[in-house]
Amino acid sequence: MHAIEFETEIKNGQLTIPTHLLPELSSYQYGKVVLLLKEKPKPKKLFAHKVKIDNFIMPKREELYES
């Protein structure tokens, strides 16, 4: 059995075989495909879970920088 390895994007559920491999593939009748998939990175939500703190008063700028 012969193995060919390449990376490709999946667009609309379809894989694209690189054109330089097509001549080599034409000499085979069957193939077995194994996909090693990499998930898309999930966007980070910085404020996904807001927390309300009762009686919280935002300090004034001067109060933050007092020595």
Side-chain angles (χ1 to χ4, degrees), residues 1 4 6 9 11-12 15-18 25-26 28 31 36 40-45 47 50 54 57-59 64 66:
M1 185 175 269
I4 298 173
F6 62 91
E9 290 184 327
K11 294 181 182 177
N12 298 323
L15 305 171
T16 303
I17 298 174
L25 294 175
S26 64
Y28 294 94
L36 303 174
K40 293 180 183 178
K42 296 179 181 177
K44 294 181 181 180
K45 296 181 181 178
F47 298 105
K50 294 182 182 179
D54 293 330
I57 300 172
M58 179 66 87
L64 292 172
E66 288 179 351

Side-chain angles (χ1 to χ4, degrees), residues 10-29:
I10 301 172
K11 294 181 182 177
N12 298 323
Q14 295 182 343
L15 305 171
T16 303
I17 298 174
T19 54
H20 69 278
L21 295 176
L22 294 176
E24 184 177 348
L25 294 175
S26 64
S27 62
Y28 294 94
Q29 184 177 3

Side-chain angles (χ1 to χ4, degrees), residues 31-46:
K32 185 178 205 178
V33 178
V34 177
L35 298 176
L36 303 174
L37 302 170
K38 183 177 179 182
E39 292 182 6
K40 293 180 183 178
K42 296 179 181 177
K44 294 181 181 180
K45 296 181 181 178
L46 297 177

